[in-house]
């Protein structure tokens, strides 16, 4: 088949959607199809011109090229997924979140700063509501995105998972004496929960963090004074190889973000056959964790997190078993590019 | 719904402040309301109804305002009360409530007198009235046309609704009659008025009954300028043989007191007509409960609803009104009409009719009172919020129209006429599909 | 500077325009700028689709990203060069030729549609009215600049650029063959060269390389056989980069007589390899570079004239070598390098 993958790109900014798009293109290629990326330039920072850019996408014609039909268009991000095509499948990696759940979040580019921001918000929602259903099928990258799509736009979609980058390079090693907490360090990932939790652990738990503590919020800075702070190690910037090795040799992985859409970390941990300790309000990651079987789900408090860490630290056999179960679960979930290709076509 | 409310507020001396006191409590009872103001002072009673927040018209706090789902902007002709509100409404689409329909003076004052910037005014005149508007505007700026004439011919009502989600008036058909139908959804609602309780009403009736029948007490209330038709009223009285059976009380600020006094002298009405200036609430109640007929003439009128008319009905007072504007829409059996083209003659015939059958007029007043149930603030708030919710659902049309304008602007620069029909239709159809399609939330 | 290069992509087609954009981007990056290519998908039929896509381009907003301004937009092809930007420079690879020199030409098809004329007018109007809004109007060749003047009354400056891998060309002592490196199709006129070859007095030999359109290779072989010159031609098909460089280097001279070529990388490649070029008076682009009897021969597009040109080269090797050297000198004199391009585009 001749396939075009339509995505929106902000010039000079390489988003994860584009990385995914390339992964998808490769996957189509491997499956014997001809696939190309179509990247439509998108400027989201002038909200009053977003309607113009929606219309621009609607005016493009991807039905054929030089007399040869384009068999399928895969739409990934807003507003490129609005380009019309009779055989379009949307894999909704990104809506314009500023018009949805980020409407009232204090981001610098929030629509709320604009006097007519709500008009633009409604216009974007109307365009999505009206035009997404044109597609033959709508997929979402996770259950939480599918749920959001249903709640805001009344559109039903099926979750379709994809593997993290370089999935095949993750490996399992013997469990060492540390938990691994991957980065980046920011308020979304809530590393401070873990730094405070360690003070409450009974066991001599150790945690190795990717990144530097400089980016932590105020709460965590004071963790320096807390008990257990000598059992925390900040590893700074890590190469991909170093990261994979840390996964491979840890006892378990700590991943406690607030409302994450997807959660590559969970999958990376599963690929490394390591148990995950996640928090109940994390969103995306929880879709992959079978509580108590492939990971532990703590409440988002230092106390609860400490308890989970203690549990695994004290019972290495259980930790290993949970890790293995995680790897098995990954297989069961059919998280592979081959599966993605099959569904999208 | 979370509602942002922008209006003049007590103690501002605008009828809309009192209107707000009728409406806000009802609104705040079932919606979360934030009252926005740029006034120096706001009366304590207002603070009791809902949270009052301040804004600077030059730099409104959009984030905070956007916490509300929709904004209500109350517009009228007085720049002192409405300039700030207008400035916010021009940038954030909301529901504009047009308390006055003739806003020429407002826009002229705002841009030319206050802003020292003719361009905004001239642009508006051209935008709505084309070349003729442009020329007249220039002539007016040079002093060649009267303000009344400009106001009548170029009300600029649509300018107020230019960026609005929806527009509310209190007079059905007024916008159409003025040829000022806006592009946004519009609705006419009965002006809200909370009638006094039955026991209070009966006390008023008792007070009136307790008064000697003769002479009959005629009252005129409010800000008495030229369009209140005092001249024709005095003439009509003067020419009435039976004038001694009436006493006329002019209650309120006179636009030209010395002129009126002179006229009263000249027409020999000094023993019949008295001037009372601005009255307190209690004094107003005293006057209205003991009057027999209220004279509520307005000409010219631009479709504004009359709060005072509703107040007269509250008291069960029969009224004489000019058959024009909002008054023309009132039921025949609830008011007595005076035609603008024969004011003096009609006034005299109505006064004689009153003398012939005061009971009929009293019954008319009672019918007026019964009509007040249509003006129940609960009904008003219900209709207003339903309209607002619907207008909010149609918000994407604002984006659609703005986009269409930008495209039109661009295409005029380069697209030749022959290819225009196709591309304009294609773009319009697509814009409609995207923003005004059938799948609504 | 942050620079965006605006061009057009026909999906699954990768040709000279794509190479050009990539070359420009690379040159900009090497000169220390941040540069990215913005490629708008384009389908040029039916004609009303062209109007749609023109409007789509007018609707895009590339003035800034994430609050930082885009310092320059370089527009290369229609309709991407219509994208509005306050600091736009046009370096035109192509107008939409269907509306210009290919209108009512056998190779065009816009005129075959009922609304073709209206769309043609719209394209003319857009070019004429919107191109002057850019800060600079350049073309890749004088040929295109002339067309812009003729059809739109616009003045554009030709701005030449090097072929890909310009630095890799080298020269060697000439051997006994002329080289015709282009892909094989009627516009390149291999057939004319074969007919001319049959008329040469000397035993001129030619190596042809490049992929052929289906059936054409057999036709050409047939033509050679009929002319009795089959033993003096070699068909090499698609060759590797290294082979191509080698063939240029060892050739006696380069044959490139296409019909109204827009630019002609081959001419420049020959000059870089220090070889004389034989081209024709109606070849277009090459004429901007080849100086008759100084860096090569500009023949009439006839069998006799071409045959005579080939004989001239074949029979005077020393003069051929001198012409080749002069060609290399001319290349330098014309400042055909990316530095010059960037200087002009970013001034």
């Amino acid at each position: 088949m001749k396939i075009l993958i339509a995505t929106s790109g902000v010039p000079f900014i390489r988003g994860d959607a584009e990385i995914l798009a390339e992964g998808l293109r490769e996957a189509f290629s491997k499956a014997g199809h001809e696939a190309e990326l179509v990247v439509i330039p998108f400027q989201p920072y002038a909200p009053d011109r977003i309607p113009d850019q929606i219309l621009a996408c609607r005016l493009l014609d991807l039905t054929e090229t030089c007399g040869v039909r384009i068999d399928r268009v895969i739409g990934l991000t807003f507003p490129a997924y609005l380009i019309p095509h009779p055989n379009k499948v949307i894999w909704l990696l990104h809506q314009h979140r500023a018009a949805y759940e980020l409407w009232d979040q204090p981001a610098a580019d929030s629509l709320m700063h604009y006097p007519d921001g709500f008009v633009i918000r409604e216009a974007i929602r109307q365009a999505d509501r009206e035009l997404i259903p044109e597609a033959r099928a709508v997929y979402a990258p996770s259950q939480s995105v599918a749920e959001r799509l249903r709640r805001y736009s009344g559109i039903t979609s099926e979750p379709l998972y994809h593997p993290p980058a370089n999935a095949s390079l993750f490996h399992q090693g013997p469990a060492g004496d540390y938990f691994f907490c991957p980065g980046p360090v920011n308020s979304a990932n809530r590393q401070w929960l873990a730094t405070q939790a360690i003070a409450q652990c009974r066991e001599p738990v150790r945690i190795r963090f990717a990144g530097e503590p400089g980016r932590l919020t105020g709460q965590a800075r004071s963790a320096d004074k807390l008990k257990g702070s000598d059992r925390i190690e900040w590893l700074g910037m890590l190469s991909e190889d170093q990261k994979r090795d840390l996964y491979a040799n840890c006892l378990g992985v700590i991943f406690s973000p607030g409302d994450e859409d997807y959660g590559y970390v969970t999958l990376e941990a599963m690929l490394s056959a390591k148990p995950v300790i996640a928090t109940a309000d994390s969103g995306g990651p929880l879709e992959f964790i079978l509580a108590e079987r492939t990971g532990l789900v703590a409440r988002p408090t230092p106390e609860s997190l400490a308890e989970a860490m203690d549990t695994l630290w004290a019972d290495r056999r259980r930790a290993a078993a949970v890790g293995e179960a995680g790897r098995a679960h990954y297989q069961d979930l059919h998280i592979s590019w081959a599966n993605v290709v099959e569904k999208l076509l | 719904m979370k509602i942002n409310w922008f209006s003049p507020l007590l103690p501002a001396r605008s009828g809309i402040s009192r209107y707000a006191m009728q409406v806000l409590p009802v609104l705040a009872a079932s919606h979360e309301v934030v009252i926005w103001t740029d006034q120096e002072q706001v009366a304590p009673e207002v603070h009791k109804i809902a949270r009052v927040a301040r804004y600077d018209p030059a730099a409104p706090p959009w984030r905070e305002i956007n916490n509300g789902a929709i904004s209500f902007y109350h517009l009228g002709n007085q720049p002192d009360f409405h300039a700030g509100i207008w400035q916010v409404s021009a940038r954030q689409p909301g529901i504009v409530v047009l308390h006055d329909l003739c806003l020429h003076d407002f826009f002229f004052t705002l841009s030319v007198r206050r802003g020292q910037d003719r361009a905004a005014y001239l642009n508006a005149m051209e935008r709505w009235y084309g070349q003729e508007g442009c020329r007249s505007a220039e002539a007016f700026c040079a002093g060649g046309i009267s303000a009344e004439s400009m106001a009548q011919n170029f009300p600029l009502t649509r300018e107020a609704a230019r960026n609005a989600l929806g527009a509310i008036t209190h007079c059905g058909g007024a916008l159409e009659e003025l040829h000022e139908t806006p592009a946004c959804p519009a609705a006419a609602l009965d002006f809200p008025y909370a009638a006094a309780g039955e026991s209070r009403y009966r006390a008023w009736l008792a007070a009136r009954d307790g008064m000697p029948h003769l002479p009959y007490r005629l009252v005129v209330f409010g800000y008495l300028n030229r369009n209140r038709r005092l001249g024709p009223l005095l003439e009509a009285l003067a020419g009435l043989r039976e004038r001694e059976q009436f006493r006329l009380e002019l209650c309120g600020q006179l636009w030209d007191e010395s002129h009126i006094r002179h006229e009263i002298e000249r027409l020999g009405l000094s023993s019949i007509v008295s001037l009372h200036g601005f009255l307190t609430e209690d004094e107003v109640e005293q006057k209205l409960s003991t009057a027999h007929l209220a004279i509520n003439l307005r000409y010219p009128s631009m479709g504004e609803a009359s709060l005072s008319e509703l107040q007269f009905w509250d008291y069960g007072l029969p009224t004489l009104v000019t058959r024009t504007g909002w008054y023309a829409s009132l039921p025949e059996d609830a008011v007595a009409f005076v035609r603008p083209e024969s004011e003096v003659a009609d006034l005299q015939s109505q006064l004689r009719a009153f003398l012939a059958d005061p009971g009929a007029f009293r019954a008319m007043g009672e019918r007026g009172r019964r009509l007040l149930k249509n003006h129940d603030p609960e009904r008003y708030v219900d209709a207003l919020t339903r309209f607002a919710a619907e207008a909010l659902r149609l918000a994407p049309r604002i984006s659609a129209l703005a986009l269409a304008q930008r495209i039109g602007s661009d295409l005029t620069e380069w697209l030749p006429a022959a290819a225009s029909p196709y591309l304009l239709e294609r773009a319009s159809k697509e814009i409609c599909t995207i923003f005004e399609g059938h799948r609504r939330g | 500077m942050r620079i965006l290069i605006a061009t057009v992509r026909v999906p699954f087609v990768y040709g000279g325009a794509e190479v050009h954009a990539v070359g420009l981007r690379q040159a900009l990056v090497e000169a220390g700028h941040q540069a990215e290519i913005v490629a708008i998908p384009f389908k040029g039929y039916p004609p009303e689709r062209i109007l749609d896509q023109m409007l789509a381009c007018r609707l895009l907003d590339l003035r800034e990203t994430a609050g930082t301004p885009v310092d320059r937009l370089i527009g290369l092809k229609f309709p991407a060069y219509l994208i509005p930007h306050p600091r736009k420079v046009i370096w035109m690879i192509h107008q939409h030729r269907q509306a210009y020199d290919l209108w009512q030409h056998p190779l065009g098809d816009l005129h075959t549609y009922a609304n073709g004329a209206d769309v043609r007018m719209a394209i003319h109007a857009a070019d004429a009215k919107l191109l002057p809004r850019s800060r600079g109007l350049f073309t890749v060749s004088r040929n295109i600049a002339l067309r812009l003047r003729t059809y739109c009354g616009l003045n554009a400056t030709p701005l030449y650029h090097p072929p890909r891998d310009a630095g890799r060309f080298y020269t060697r002592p000439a051997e006994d063959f002329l080289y015709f490196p282009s892909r094989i199709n009627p516009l390149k006129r291999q057939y004319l060269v074969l007919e001319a070859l049959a008329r040469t007095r000397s035993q001129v030999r030619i190596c042809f390389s490049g992929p052929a359109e289906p059936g054409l290779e057999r036709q050409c072989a047939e033509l050679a056989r009929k002319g009795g010159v089959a033993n003096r031609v070699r068909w090499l098909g698609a060759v590797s980069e290294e082979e191509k460089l080698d063939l240029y280097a060892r050739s006696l001279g380069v044959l490139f007589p296409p019909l109204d070529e827009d630019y002609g990388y081959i001419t420049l490649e020959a000059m870089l390899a220090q070889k004389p070029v034989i081209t024709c008076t109606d070849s277009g682009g090459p004429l901007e570079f080849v100086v008759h009897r100084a860096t090569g021969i500009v023949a009439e597009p006839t069998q006799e004239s071409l045959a005579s040109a080939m004989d001239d080269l074949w029979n005077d090797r020393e003069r051929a070598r001198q012409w080749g050297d002069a060609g290399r000198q001319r290349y330098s004199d014309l400042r055909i390098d990316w530095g010059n391009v960037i200087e002009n585009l970013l001034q």
Side-chain angles (χ1 to χ4, degrees), chain B residues 410 413-414 416 418 422 426, chain C residues 48-49 52 58 125 129 133:
Chain B
D410 185 60
E413 311 255 306
W414 58 271
Y422 163 75
R426 172 95 175 89
Chain C
E48 55 270 24
R49 282 296 86 73
D52 290 354
R58 295 298 293 164
K129 301 223 172 92
R133 292 199 189 166

Side-chain angles (χ1 to χ4, degrees), chain B residues 94-98 161 164-169 175 182 184-188 387:
Chain B
I95 306 295
V96 294
V97 181
L98 299 167
L165 277 181
I168 294 284
T169 64
L175 290 170
C184 64
F387 174 79

Side-chain angles (χ1 to χ4, degrees), chain B residues 403 406-407 410-420 422-424 426-427, chain C residues 48-49 51-52 54-55 58-59 82 118-119 121-123 125-126 129-130 133:
Chain B
L403 175 58
R406 284 195 289 278
I407 291 176
D410 185 60
L411 291 182
T412 41
E413 311 255 306
W414 58 271
L415 187 67
S420 295
Y422 163 75
L423 197 52
L424 292 176
R426 172 95 175 89
Chain C
E48 55 270 24
R49 282 296 86 73
L51 294 176
D52 290 354
M54 288 164 77
L55 177 56
R58 295 298 293 164
L59 289 167
L82 297 178
D118 289 342
V119 173
M121 264 183 63
I123 296 173
K129 301 223 172 92
L130 299 175
R133 292 199 189 166

Side-chain angles (χ1 to χ4, degrees), chain B residues 45-323:
Chain B
E45 306 94 278
V46 180
H47 286 275
K48 291 204 188 95
I49 302 174
R51 181 166 79 85
V52 177
R54 292 198 61 82
Y55 70 95
D56 171 8
W62 298 118
R63 253 201 93 80
E64 281 70 30
I65 295 176
N66 271 321
N67 268 325
I70 197 165
S71 297
F72 288 3
Y73 303 107
H74 294 272
L75 299 180
N77 208 6
Q78 302 290 333
D80 283 337
F81 299 135
H82 300 281
I85 300 175
W86 156 250
Q87 277 178 272
V88 178
S89 78
R91 297 188 58 199
Q92 195 209 45
I95 306 295
V96 294
V97 181
L98 299 167
H99 292 267
D100 291 312
L101 294 179
C102 176
L103 299 167
H104 175 270
D105 200 54
F106 174 79
F107 287 113
F108 178 77
T109 306
L110 212 58
S111 87
V112 179
R113 285 211 206 102
R114 289 191 179 190
Q116 306 293 312
D117 170 24
R118 276 193 195 185
Y121 168 65
L122 292 174
N123 286 339
M125 289 294 283
E126 187 181 4
R127 181 179 303 125
W128 302 113
Y129 308 113
Q131 281 304 308
E132 200 208 331
C134 218
R135 280 193 298 269
S136 305
E138 304 262 1
F140 180 58
C141 288
I145 310 185
S146 75
E148 282 95 3
S149 168
M150 290 300 285
Q152 289 233 297
N153 293 319
F154 309 109
L156 284 175
T157 327
R158 280 169 295 172
E159 179 69 7
R162 190 169 152 219
N163 198 28
L165 277 181
I168 294 284
T169 64
H170 298 119
C171 177
L175 290 170
E176 289 78 4
E177 266 180 47
L178 290 174
H179 304 293
E180 293 282 329
T181 315
C184 64
L189 303 182
D190 283 321
F191 196 84
Y193 187 90
E198 278 302 305
S199 51
R200 197 145 171 239
Y201 175 58
R202 267 188 276 286
W204 290 334
L205 290 182
R208 187 171 301 136
D209 289 340
M211 296 292 294
H213 281 208
L214 281 172
Y216 290 110
R217 298 155 68 99
L218 311 174
V219 289
V220 179
F221 267 92
Y223 181 69
L224 306 178
N225 59 11
R226 274 221 327 223
N227 79 336
R228 299 302 303 272
R229 315 313 290 159
L230 290 182
L233 176 58
L234 294 175
E235 264 198 59
L237 257 186
L240 202 62
R241 239 183 327 113
E242 308 90 324
R243 60 182 175 276
E244 283 300 329
Q245 298 189 50
F246 293 110
R247 290 293 177 271
L248 172 62
E249 300 190 305
L250 303 181
C251 308
Q253 194 180 337
L254 280 170
W255 169 66
D256 189 345
E257 187 170 328
S258 58
H259 170 75
I260 295 297
R261 284 196 188 277
H262 177 84
E263 284 298 290
I264 293 170
E265 276 276 337
R266 180 178 74 82
L267 293 167
L269 293 170
S270 306
S271 58
I272 296 175
V273 183
S274 54
L275 273 50
H276 293 269
F278 192 82
L279 301 181
T280 65
E281 294 271 326
D282 286 341
E283 287 168 331
V284 167
E285 185 174 359
Q286 197 270 328
K287 287 267 178 267
L288 286 178
S289 58
T290 54
H292 294 101
L293 180 64
I295 304 198
N296 199 14
L297 304 175
R298 292 266 193 309
Y299 188 76
S301 154
M302 301 295 279
E304 311 81 56
S306 170
L307 178 56
S308 43
E309 181 66 28
L310 299 177
Q311 195 174 24
F312 296 144
W313 283 351
D314 199 13
Y315 283 80
L317 261 185
T319 54
L320 294 190
V321 300
T322 315
R323 195 190 281 280

Side-chain angles (χ1 to χ4, degrees), chain A residues 175-225:
Chain A
D177 277 339
Y178 65 92
F179 287 106
F180 179 44
C181 190
V185 180
N186 56 37
S187 57
N189 283 334
R190 299 195 300 195
Q191 276 82 358
W192 63 267
L193 266 176
T195 60
Q196 292 205 344
I198 203 171
Q200 314 215 13
C201 285
R202 289 185 315 263
E203 305 286 340
V205 165
R206 307 183 67 84
I207 309 178
R208 304 177 89 182
F209 288 90
E212 297 287 353
R215 300 288 228 87
L216 282 175
T217 57
Q219 293 153 302
R221 285 182 182 276
S222 59
D224 279 347
K225 325 275 188 344

